Amino acid sequence: MSSVELKSIVKKYGEVTAVASIDLSVESGEFVTLLGPSGCGKTTTLRMVAGFIRPTSGTLSIGDVDMTGVPPHQRTVGLVFQNYALFPHMTVRKNVEFGLKMQKVLTSERGPRVQEALELVQLEALGERMPAELSGGQQQRVALARALVIRPDVLLLDEPFGALDKQLRDHMRVELRELQQKLKISTLFVTHDQDEALSMSDRIVVMSEGKVSQVGKPTEIYEKPQTRFVADFIGRSNILVGKVESKGKTINAEGLILPNKGNVVAGAEGISVMIRPECVEITQSGSKATSTSADVKGKVTASIYLGSIVQYSVQINKGPNLVVTQNNTGSENLKNLTVGDDVDVSFPDSAIYILPG
Amino acid sequence: MSSQEHYGSRLPYKFLIGVVTLVIFFLEAPLIILVIQSFTAESYLSFPPPSYGIRWYKEVLTSEDWLNSISLSLTIAAIVTPLSLVLGTMAAFALDRGPKKLKNGLQTIMIAPMVLPHIVLGLGLFKMALQLDIDDSMLAYIPAHLTITIPFVVISVGASLQTFEQSLEEAARSLGANRFWAVWYITLPIIRPALIAGGIFSFIISFDEFIITFFLTTFQRTLPIEMFSTLMYQVKPSIAAVSTLTLAVTAFLTAMLILRGQVTSGDKVIK
Amino acid sequence: MSRNSDENYGALWLLTPTVLLYVATFFVPIIMLGVLSFARFEMSVTTIGFYFDNYIKIFSDGITLKIFFQTVRLSLVITFWCLILGYPVALMMRSCSPKMKMVLLFCVVSPLLTSIIVRNVAWLLILGRSGIINDTLIQWGLTSKPLPLMYNEFGVILAVVHVYLSFMVLPLFGALNSINSSIEEAASSLGAPSWRVFLSITLPLSLPGIMAGCTLVFILSMGVYLTPVIMGGNFVLTLPMLITESVREQYDWPFASAMALMLLLAIGFMVILSSGVQKLVGRR
């Protein structure tokens, strides 16, 4: 049984197409993330599931019931907003109770259910506080409790971590995922943050310009992007355009000769080759180089220290400029590389990925 | 606060303080003098009064003419205020939630009676009332007063809705509230200060309205009209007493306006 | 965030009761006045038609036009004094401490909520023949007979300025408050004396507020009836007094309507003029 299913959903505003024919499903207990840059249609899609926006065409079902034209208050969805949207004039308890009151749950039944929801997010002690007296993380938990207490068919999260600082965000990410797995609640999560998407999701739906670019597990999305957009958007990457040479043995990517790992047919042109910066190895020229697939020489043109990693720009001799990152292990080799140094560059097999199509 | 040093030298600032003090004196002194004079025990007005008493208040509060006009004015304001709040709030919601491209045009229409001189509005309303044969009656006063009070509600509620976070209403709707209950339980309580302000403005404007009602009445007299007719005839201490009573009503409501505003912004922190 | 929602035409139903009300109390009555202004009034009988009698009368009876221009002149003088007295208050409200600002704001807003007639009574008790000022002056022997402080233009202007000053201060304060004070600080840090900073920066930047306040006070003053009647007796005539009289005493609706329309025309002209000036300045 799928909790949410979108079939050929289209949303147009006059001439502008916000969402162009999306098919999407969230299976029971699954955590699905809509990932994409702002304006890609991910929030519009979420708001259509919540019922605030009516699709121009297509069908939408929740819990296998057609909900396409049903107003939001008749859908059982739990929604957590980016700004939490806690009711400022009600206590935490009243906030959580509101949904039960609207669904005409008996007063006697409401108390225990509110308590249960507050315990779930570890806020049972703060029930009488007003939202303004809570920290960002606590507000976020109230919003979650309020959405969960009505026992929704699906939990919808609209960039819920956007307003938190980095440390708290990382913490809440783990907490939310644990809670979701404990309750086995189907979840549709919207974010533009790839770290959140990669770390929390069962499946990721990458969206761009109102269309789905790729659907897959986090590892598939990161390691085997299906389109140039996905490769560009997820993680840092060097994307080079090349053609197959030497009877199909090598690929010439903007002057850089690489082995034809993907066995692309001879003579093919305009192939996109993705090289992940963290997979490329560089060593100072003259030092002993490891024997790997394609050794070339280059020169460091820029170096940016980012704490856990160091990011270099390396100009390959007679070739392209590549971004290369190295883990900051404190090694001598790393510390000695400065702008202007000549380096040996090598590409392990895992570093080269040829985009399909 | 260092913003006092805007203009470098202190001399112009001291001059400014002097001028402002005079202007504030000009604004407030006449009213203070009026209040003091109303407590005279003499049969004529003078300042300062030779002796004090509440003789004129007694006279006002036992005079049938004054009491009738006070009760007529209070009745009109009491009917106009809730109606004006409901209609004005509905209009403000329509402007805020309706199509964006129509908003400016519709808003101009909604507040148009405000920029029209009341003398012209009163003239037109008088003609209309004569045509319908409803002059000198509540049927004429109420719509007339609503026309000048609604714009204030539209403006005050409209401004509040503009800063209202609409996701709160959406949250309520996702939790099972339909549009009406979402507005009832969430939006209206949150914009309460604006509703109170709109209500108080409506009450005071209706209570003080002179020229339009002046056109519409023949025999009935609202308080401002009774005051005006008395004034045309003779300036007695009773007029100062009535004025002070009016002042007290409006001052009380103004204080409510300011205090309620503080309470609502304060209880988030205190409670 | 751009709100991705469909245009909600359904919400417009909420306007219905107010629109219906306005049609009955505002639009139709104004149209009726427009029609009446072209009617003919002879021997107490009104004939609807398309006559210019009333407009010709306004320009030719020798008194209406004079009173019209007197009303315009009075309104301009009132506007001028409101600006002169209101600007320092707005300036002060901007630069004083928050607590003082609240006090000033209360002083400025509270008259808005006070009945005009009450305030006129207050002035009556101060400026009248046996008012406080004349009483005191006579007591001290500074004058033997009361000074003419009211039942003249002086009294009317004073009382109207008292009533409308708040309408000037609020837009002025709004405009001054939106000026980024770092601009002024930059100018004075470059060595400009305070009066030059004021004249070359603060004053020009507050011009939108000045225009808004002046337009508002002018419009209000053009329509003022009560204060000239109380403070001016029958010695200071304004167009609204003429309108009221011709309807209430002579039942001459056509002529009153024509004068009302003329009043609207003058106000419309002023609004267009001020928005024109604002555009001109904005472009500079």
Side-chain angles (χ1 to χ4, degrees), chain C residues 38-115:
Chain C
F38 291 103
R40 178 170 276 171
F41 184 75
E42 265 173 343
M43 320 292 277
S44 294
V45 174
T46 302
T47 322
I48 300 292
F50 198 72
Y51 309 100
F52 284 94
D53 295 22
N54 305 301
Y55 292 98
I56 292 166
K57 188 174 166 195
I58 287 175
F59 287 95
S60 61
D61 71 354
I63 180 79
T64 313
L65 203 62
K66 221 176 97 192
I67 289 176
F68 172 75
F69 282 118
Q70 167 156 297
T71 312
V72 172
R73 185 175 53 82
L74 274 177
S75 300
L76 288 175
V77 173
I78 289 161
T79 309
F80 172 80
W81 280 109
C82 282
L83 182 61
I84 295 296
L85 297 179
Y87 204 96
V89 179
L91 211 54
M92 178 97 177
M93 274 168 76
R94 177 191 176 215
S95 59
C96 67
S97 68
K99 215 176 199 174
M100 192 63 202
K101 190 182 285 176
M102 282 300 290
V103 173
L104 286 177
L105 198 63
F106 179 82
C107 289
V108 170
V109 173
S110 60
L112 279 180
L113 299 170
T114 314
S115 156

Side-chain angles (χ1 to χ4, degrees), chain A residues 9 33 94 138 192 195 221 227-228 261 263 300 311:
Chain A
I9 288 282
T33 299
K94 294 270 181 214
Q138 288 168 336
H192 65 272
D195 291 344
I221 298 284
T227 67
R228 177 161 181 160
K261 202 190 66 167
N263 289 324
V300 176
Q311 180 180 319

Side-chain angles (χ1 to χ4, degrees), chain B residues 1 3-4 6-9 12-13 16-17 19-20 23-24 26-28 30-31 33-34 37 45-47 87 90-91 93-95 97-102 106 109-110 112-113 115-117 119-121 123-128 130-131 143-144 146-147 150-151 165-167 170 179 201 204 208 210-211 214-215 217 224 227-228 231-232 235 239-240 243 246-247 250 254 257-258, chain C residues 3 7-9 11-15 17-19 21-30 32-33 36 85 88-89 91-92 94-98 102 104 106-108 110-119 121-126 130 132 135 158 161-162 165-166 181 184-185 188 194 197-198 202 219 223 225-226 229-230 240-241 243-244 247-248 253 256-257 260 263-264 267:
Chain B
M1 221 171 116
S3 55
Q4 292 186 357
H6 269 330
Y7 307 109
S9 117
Y13 193 72
L16 187 64
I17 291 178
V19 173
V20 171
V23 174
I24 296 300
F26 165 72
L27 275 178
E28 305 300 325
L31 298 175
I33 290 169
L34 171 78
Q37 285 194 328
L45 285 162
S46 62
F47 187 82
L87 296 187
M90 280 166 68
F93 265 93
L95 295 178
R97 305 293 159 81
K100 296 282 165 285
K101 58 184 177 224
L102 296 179
L106 288 172
I109 294 174
M110 281 300 120
V115 288
L116 197 71
I119 182 91
V120 179
L121 197 60
L123 191 68
L125 279 163
F126 185 27
K127 185 71 208 169
M128 191 74 178
L130 287 175
Q131 295 285 321
L146 280 176
T147 308
I150 285 174
E165 184 54 65
Q166 279 198 33
S167 62
E170 289 177 348
R179 272 181 196 274
F201 272 119
I204 292 177
D208 285 345
F210 174 77
I211 185 69
F214 186 56
F215 272 118
T217 57
M227 284 169 79
F228 178 74
L231 212 55
M232 290 294 98
V235 181
I239 197 92
S243 297
T246 317
L247 209 57
T250 46
T254 311
L257 191 70
I258 290 163
Chain C
R3 190 161 280 281
E7 297 289 34
N8 184 0
Y9 285 88
L12 294 181
W13 283 108
L14 293 169
L15 286 175
T18 309
V19 167
L21 176 80
Y22 282 7
V23 166
T25 59
F26 180 65
F27 295 110
V28 172
I30 299 295
M32 289 199 321
L33 294 186
L36 275 172
L85 297 179
V89 179
L91 211 54
M92 178 97 177
R94 177 191 176 215
S95 59
C96 67
S97 68
M102 282 300 290
L104 286 177
F106 179 82
C107 289
V108 170
S110 60
L112 279 180
L113 299 170
T114 314
S115 156
I116 292 175
I117 206 163
V118 169
R119 283 187 283 171
V121 169
W123 282 112
L124 205 67
L125 302 180
I126 293 171
S130 53
I132 296 166
D135 261 10
L158 191 76
V161 167
H162 187 247
L165 188 57
S166 309
S181 62
E184 290 154 335
E185 277 154 21
S188 51
S194 55
V197 174
F198 176 77
T202 317
I219 291 175
Y225 168 83
L226 196 56
V229 173
I230 295 175
M241 286 163 79
I243 293 172
T244 312
V247 165
R248 286 187 71 106
W253 277 95
S257 303
L263 192 68
L264 285 186
I267 287 168

Side-chain angles (χ1 to χ4, degrees), chain A residues 116-171:
Chain A
E116 185 191 9
L118 287 175
E119 276 165 17
L120 209 56
V121 293
Q122 297 147 37
L123 282 180
E124 57 272 27
L126 301 181
E128 304 314 316
R129 296 261 188 102
M130 298 303 276
E133 300 167 303
L134 302 179
S135 69
Q138 288 168 336
Q139 291 185 8
Q140 153 98 81
R141 286 190 202 148
V142 176
L144 205 54
R146 188 178 67 179
L148 288 172
V149 77
I150 57 170
R151 295 176 186 154
D153 293 336
V154 59
L155 183 62
L156 304 176
L157 305 162
D158 185 7
E159 308 240 7
F161 305 126
L164 302 176
D165 57 41
K166 174 140 177 37
Q167 246 180 333
L168 192 55
R169 202 184 314 177
D170 293 347
H171 175 75

Side-chain angles (χ1 to χ4, degrees), chain B residues 5-8, chain C residues 94 175-194 196-206:
Chain B
E5 321 282 335
H6 269 330
Y7 307 109
Chain C
R94 177 191 176 215
L176 281 170
N177 214 19
S178 66
I179 300 175
N180 189 341
S181 62
S182 59
I183 302 172
E184 290 154 335
E185 277 154 21
S188 51
S189 76
L190 293 172
S194 55
R196 284 213 58 167
V197 174
F198 176 77
L199 283 183
S200 60
I201 295 176
T202 317
L203 194 61
L205 285 178
S206 65

